[in-house]
Amino acid sequence: MFLQTDDQTIEDLRLFAKREITGIYDIYNNTSTRGGELLLEQMFRNPLSDLEAIRKRLHIIAAFASAGTKFPFDAALLDSVEKYISHQEDPSASMKAALGEKEISNGVTAFISLLHAVRSFLEYGDIVRVEKLQEERAQMLILFREPALEPVFREKPESRLSFGAITAFDILIRMKEREKVMKVLSFVYDLDVFISVALVANKRRFVFPEVHPKGSNILKVEGVYHPELKDPVANDLHMHAGKSVVFLTGANMAGKSTFLRAFSTAVYVAHMGFPVAAKRLDFSVMDGVFTTINLPDNLGIGASHFYAEVLRVRKVAAELGAGKSLFVLFDELFRGTNVKDAHEGTVAITHAFAGKKTSLFLISSHIVEAGDELKQKANIGFHYLPTRMKGNIPEYTYTLEEGITDDRHGMIIIRNEGILETLANGKRK
């Protein structure tokens, strides 16, 4: 079972690199194989929504992290195998048109060496002590004992083979037993991802989350930060059934968007069964995660920014109406319309969200006046990111506090930048 999400959320959280900006994927990608890279990308695009599947993946990665396991297979060897096995032509027919004799010989030799290395790791490597991989380990050992692969294990790794032996092994590997070969490679790619993420967790001191059953409505984060920041400020936030909605305020540049990305990224990555950038994270499994941070105008259908926001809210409402448990984030809800409509819309939608007690909502807004009306709902909590004035210079703590801000420093910043003076007197020399 996969977590429901969408391209907007993936874009908001900057999971993948775009132009010169690296993505969250790049932080976790320490893989040694092309197949591992592709599998890791699939995991990022398809988080989990099954309690046991998440726990299993977390336990596997944590076990490899505890053991300090390094990828046990030679990357160059695997590169040779991947290039060789990618050719699916009938080896008994026109193989020489696709692969030369040397390439086939190198590929066969590399594959034989790989199978010996995998069997050795299964019998003596750190995987022996990874409880949650014992079923897969047993299945691979059974596969390796099948008569079809017996000739492979009769050969010594990197032994010199005759032309006839190479041809026979090529037919065996790329045609007759291709399905078994692909199972071995798939298993190696799984190991590549698990060990890669474990190494990243150790290096960056990421924490392994505690997972709770769906419907328990727990989301408690301590010391969460954005993993791409050089000197991040960590924050805490506790959401639950009694505080299922958080209304976040703060001046521009106070750090709202950064906090929202850090918090929602942790929630998303936790559903992948991966360690996260925090000191502690407890979460209950959700059906879906939807964020709205950088919502573009949809010019293709002639939609304004405001209408795009309305469509986004409608999409979330439809999922909630279907009874799904969601984590929902809106940064500056209804920023695309006038202040009056934005105020009324923010209050109405936030009140409606508060009625959905099995989901969690994080909503930021500049409209601090909406807070007075929202206080009518007992399960709406209020937090803000403060601005401290040092003379005429605003300073930001980036540390979450309880309550609603009354910071209004926009005109101070405008004056500090000399914009009005420039407009009145021309460009300063």
Side-chain angles (χ1 to χ4, degrees), residues 143-204:
L143 185 148
F144 282 1
R145 287 195 291 269
E146 290 193 13
L149 295 180
E150 185 181 337
V152 174
F153 293 109
R154 281 204 302 262
E155 296 292 341
K156 293 182 179 180
E158 300 181 7
S159 60
R160 191 174 184 85
L161 301 172
S162 67
F163 177 79
I166 289 171
T167 302
F169 275 123
D170 187 40
I171 293 171
L172 177 78
I173 295 166
R174 290 203 293 151
M175 187 170 64
K176 288 185 176 179
E177 301 300 335
R178 184 178 181 82
E179 186 179 341
K180 292 183 177 65
V181 169
M182 298 312 294
K183 283 182 180 178
V184 174
L185 285 178
S186 178
F187 178 73
V188 168
Y189 297 149
D190 284 339
L191 290 177
D192 191 12
V193 171
F194 296 148
I195 294 170
S196 165
V197 175
L199 290 171
V200 171
N202 285 344
K203 181 179 178 181
R204 289 179 168 262

Side-chain angles (χ1 to χ4, degrees), residues 33-36 77-86 185 189:
T33 66
R34 177 61 181 151
L77 187 76
L78 269 156
D79 187 52
S80 295
V81 170
E82 287 179 311
K83 288 177 181 177
Y84 162 69
I85 206 67
S86 65
L185 285 178
Y189 297 149

Side-chain angles (χ1 to χ4, degrees), residues 4-23:
Q4 190 172 356
T5 189
D6 59 8
D7 290 340
Q8 177 64 48
T9 302
I10 289 171
E11 186 76 15
D12 280 341
L13 302 185
R14 297 172 183 167
L15 296 182
F16 299 100
K18 191 173 183 180
R19 291 185 283 273
E20 295 180 359
I21 302 174
T22 58

Side-chain angles (χ1 to χ4, degrees), residues 63-180:
F64 282 130
S66 178
T69 306
K70 294 182 180 179
F71 189 59
F73 314 118
D74 182 75
L77 187 76
L78 269 156
D79 187 52
S80 295
V81 170
E82 287 179 311
K83 288 177 181 177
Y84 162 69
I85 206 67
S86 65
H87 291 270
Q88 298 187 45
E89 297 86 6
D90 183 346
S92 64
S94 58
M95 65 178 182
K96 291 182 181 178
L99 288 174
E101 288 182 12
K102 185 176 181 181
E103 291 172 306
I104 293 173
S105 177
N106 290 341
V108 167
T109 302
F111 182 77
I112 292 172
S113 295
L114 175 64
L115 252 63
H116 279 271
V118 173
R119 187 175 68 172
S120 177
F121 183 70
L122 290 168
E123 292 176 342
Y124 310 111
D126 288 341
I127 192 173
V128 174
R129 293 176 292 281
V130 180
E131 179 188 348
K132 296 294 184 179
L133 273 180
Q134 292 313 299
E135 183 178 342
E136 290 84 350
R137 174 174 172 261
Q139 289 173 354
M140 291 304 301
L141 287 170
I142 290 170
L143 185 148
F144 282 1
R145 287 195 291 269
E146 290 193 13
L149 295 180
E150 185 181 337
V152 174
F153 293 109
R154 281 204 302 262
E155 296 292 341
K156 293 182 179 180
E158 300 181 7
S159 60
R160 191 174 184 85
L161 301 172
S162 67
F163 177 79
I166 289 171
T167 302
F169 275 123
D170 187 40
I171 293 171
L172 177 78
I173 295 166
R174 290 203 293 151
M175 187 170 64
K176 288 185 176 179
E177 301 300 335
R178 184 178 181 82
E179 186 179 341
K180 292 183 177 65

Side-chain angles (χ1 to χ4, degrees), residues 4 31-33 69 73 89 138 155 282 294 303 327 353 391 427:
Q4 190 172 356
T31 54
S32 301
T33 66
T69 306
F73 314 118
E89 297 86 6
E155 296 292 341
D282 287 76
N294 286 320
F327 171 78
F353 283 162
K427 186 177 180 180

Side-chain angles (χ1 to χ4, degrees), residues 229-350:
L229 294 181
K230 191 174 182 180
D231 297 302
V233 176
N235 275 291
D236 303 344
L237 183 60
H238 186 191
M239 300 179 73
H240 46 82
K243 191 170 79 173
S244 59
V245 181
V246 167
F247 188 71
L248 176 67
T249 53
N252 282 327
M253 300 166 61
K256 293 196 305 299
S257 293
T258 298
F259 167 74
L260 293 174
R261 274 201 181 89
F263 189 81
S264 50
T265 296
V267 174
Y268 187 100
V269 171
H271 277 85
M272 292 170 58
F274 281 14
V276 301
K279 287 184 179 179
R280 181 181 174 88
L281 171 58
D282 287 76
F283 76 102
S284 53
V285 178
M286 312 297 281
D287 293 312
V289 169
F290 293 97
T291 69
T292 308
I293 298 175
N294 286 320
L295 188 64
D297 300 346
N298 195 334
L299 300 179
I301 62 171
S304 67
H305 186 89
F306 172 66
Y307 190 60
E309 289 181 298
V310 171
L311 293 177
R312 187 69 174 162
V313 173
R314 187 177 73 178
K315 178 177 181 175
V316 169
E319 300 297 339
L320 291 168
K324 293 177 181 175
S325 175
L326 306 179
F327 171 78
V328 177
L329 183 152
F330 279 96
D331 186 15
E332 302 295 346
L333 186 59
F334 298 134
R335 73 177 80 173
T337 189
N338 63 74
V339 175
K340 183 176 184 298
D341 282 345
H343 183 149
E344 292 178 359
T346 297
V347 170
I349 294 300
T350 306

